[in-house]
Amino acid sequence: MGTPIDDAALDTLFRTARTFNGFTDAPVTAEHIHAIYDLLKMGPTSANQQPARFIWCLSDAAKERLADCASGTNAEKIRAAPASVVIGMDLNFHEQLPWLFPHTDARSWFAGDDKAEARRISAFRNSSLQGAYFILAARAVGLDTGPMSGFDEDRLNQTFFADQPDVRVNFISTLGVGDPSTIFDRSPRPAFDKFNRID
C-alpha cells in the first residue's frame, strides 16, 4: 500500500483545482509538455492500450487552426491561451498491442471488421481516461486546463488527423497558468449519498 499524499497535493489535484476560462501570459514550454506526458502515460488503461494521441498546439498557427474548428466562445479561449491540446483516439490501437501488452496475444481480441465497434468503444473509454490523466498531470506540474467539447468534429479530424485516418478527436483543452479572474464560483458537487451506494 502506498503512502497517502498530503493535503497540499490533494488541493492541487482536486479540492482547490479549477477549470479555467483564461490564462496568464506565462508560457507553456516543451519541457512542460514532456513532463505532463511522462506522468499521464503511467495511468492505467485496459491491457495498456494507450489509445490516446495528443497534438500539442503551441504556435499561433496551430492554435488558429484549432480555433477555426471550435464553436462559440471556445475559439477565442483557444486563441488567447498559451497552449491548447487535441486529445485524439486511435481506433486501430490494437496494432500496437504486441509491444504494449506482450504478455499475450491481445491484438487478436480486437482484430477484424467484426470488432470495429469494440475497438471504437475501447478507444473512446481509454483515451477518455488518458485525457483525465492529462488534466491531473498538468495540475501536478503547476499548470491548469480548460477542457471542452464544443467543436466541429469532422473539421477537426480533417485539420489535424488527415494523415492518420484511424485517429479521431475525443476532446480538446486549453493549457497554461490559470487566471483566477476568469472563473466563477465553484459549481455544486453532490454529497456521497446522492449518487453512491455501498452494497
Side-chain angles (χ1 to χ4, degrees):
M1 180 176 177
T3 302
I5 60 177
D6 62 22
D7 279 340
L10 290 170
D11 286 345
T12 295
L13 294 177
F14 296 103
R15 294 190 295 221
T16 61
R18 297 295 304 274
T19 294
F20 282 85
N21 295 309
F23 301 86
T24 71
D25 293 333
V28 172
T29 66
E31 289 76 15
H32 285 129
I33 289 170
H34 283 279
I36 291 169
Y37 182 73
D38 284 343
L39 289 173
L40 77 86
K41 72 181 181 182
M42 302 309 293
T45 54
S46 177
N48 199 34
Q49 290 172 11
Q50 304 278 334
R53 304 292 180 262
F54 298 88
I55 295 181
W56 307 85
C57 301
L58 291 185
S59 69
D60 289 340
K63 290 189 291 182
E64 186 61 35
R65 290 198 304 273
L66 183 57
D68 284 344
C69 301
S71 56
T73 60
N74 288 345
E76 190 49 44
K77 291 178 184 178
I78 291 166
R79 292 186 179 99
S84 288
V85 187
V86 179
I87 298 94
M89 53 182 179
D90 187 352
L91 300 179
N92 277 343
F93 65 86
H94 65 300
E95 297 296 352
Q96 307 300 323
L97 290 179
W99 70 273
L100 285 173
F101 199 72
H103 321 290
T104 188
D105 181 17
R107 180 188 178 279
S108 65
W109 304 344
F110 298 97
D113 292 343
D114 60 324
K115 301 292 180 61
E117 180 62 7
R119 289 195 300 271
R120 186 196 66 78
I121 291 171
S122 200
F124 179 72
R125 177 177 297 130
N126 287 285
S127 66
S128 296
L129 278 173
Q130 290 184 275
Y133 302 147
F134 151 73
I135 293 170
L136 293 176
R139 292 172 176 177
V141 302
L143 298 178
D144 301 291
T145 63
M148 57 186 77
S149 58
F151 53 84
D152 183 323
E153 184 174 346
D154 290 338
R155 185 172 184 179
L156 194 151
N157 286 331
Q158 183 59 38
T159 300
F160 287 93
F161 297 121
D163 61 335
Q164 298 174 281
D166 296 317
V167 179
R168 297 288 183 270
V169 63
N170 186 330
F171 68 98
I172 62 179
S173 179
T174 47
L175 177 67
V177 175
D179 178 356
S181 71
T182 66
I183 58 176
F184 42 81
D185 291 341
R186 185 186 291 278
S187 298
R189 296 300 195 269
F192 184 89
D193 291 343
K194 181 75 172 176
F195 297 127
N196 295 269
R197 184 181 71 203
I198 298 177
D199 284 348

